[in-house]
Amino acid sequence: MQPLTLMPLPYPEGALAPVTTAQTLALHHGAHHAGYVKKTNELVGADLAKYESLEQLIEHAAQSREDVFDNAGQVWNHDFFWQSMKPAGHGARGPHGAFAEAIERDCGSLEKLLADALARGEKHFGSGWVWIVMNGGKVSAATTANGRPAFVDGLYPLLVCDLWEHAYYLDHQNRRRAFLEGFFAQLANWEFAQRRYEAHEAPRSRAPRGRSVSRRPG
Ligand SMILES: [Fe+2]
């Protein structure tokens, strides 16, 4: 693997206002995310060539290098987070087809899934991430602490929101719930989640016994 590079934002810095302002996004992407990329490259150095993917590096570091795991995990999580949002007011189409049916089957309704995600995100202690995931073939909400990507726990991420204070403090101060409500009401990119769900389900229908594996964002 080549040295990691900072994934460009898929939209202008001001496009997520007012839930996330340009000032927050500039710092979040240009300082925090860029810092995790730089630190990972510094920590791993020439050994990056030993890994085929960021996921492989993270899985390996989970067993052996806490500092690499923290920073590389944060690179992956932020790559996934930018893709989990769409500019406010652009109204990403909600879950539909088999994905919508799976949400109803597993969670009762989309509203119940979002209420669960919001509650988990709000009460999560300290820094971390709140995810919509596939867990053993079922749609559910989950949180992870610090820089831990959900795929490390065998979960398949569909969508994520950042719970670190750097994600919301400038805009919402200590009101994490207000940020989460804004995320789910205005920014959540369900078209991205839908593509992830469909990618997850496609191999299953071809090979029902096949093992579910983690995949890179996108
Ligand atoms: Fe962050």
Side-chain angles (χ1 to χ4, degrees), residues 28 32-33 36 74 78 81-82 129 162-164 166-167:
H28 198 170
H32 291 280
H33 190 191
Y36 299 127
Q74 283 292 73
H78 284 89
F81 180 47
W82 308 136
W129 299 82
D162 195 335
L163 299 176
W164 287 59
H166 66 226

Side-chain angles (χ1 to χ4, degrees), residues 93-175:
R93 185 182 176 192
H96 50 275
F99 184 29
E101 288 166 17
I103 291 171
E104 258 184 55
R105 178 194 69 207
D106 301 333
C107 311
S109 66
L110 179 61
E111 290 68 30
K112 285 182 181 168
L113 170 63
L114 298 187
D116 184 31
L118 215 143
R120 286 171 187 265
E122 186 180 17
K123 77 178 182 193
H124 179 82
F125 188 78
S127 296
W129 299 82
V130 59
W131 308 81
I132 306 293
V133 295
M134 294 303 290
N135 181 3
K138 293 188 173 174
V139 183
S140 63
T143 58
T144 61
N146 302 317
R148 191 173 185 84
F151 72 80
V152 176
D153 298 323
L155 307 174
Y156 181 90
L158 304 177
L159 205 68
V160 76
C161 185
D162 195 335
L163 299 176
W164 287 59
E165 287 185 348
H166 66 226
Y168 61 87
Y169 222 83
L170 283 175
D171 302 324
H172 304 278
Q173 293 77 51
N174 60 329
R175 299 185 297 277

Side-chain angles (χ1 to χ4, degrees), residues 42-54:
E42 285 172 3
L43 287 169
V44 186
D47 282 352
L48 278 165
K50 294 180 182 172
Y51 301 95
E52 289 179 7
S53 66
L54 180 57

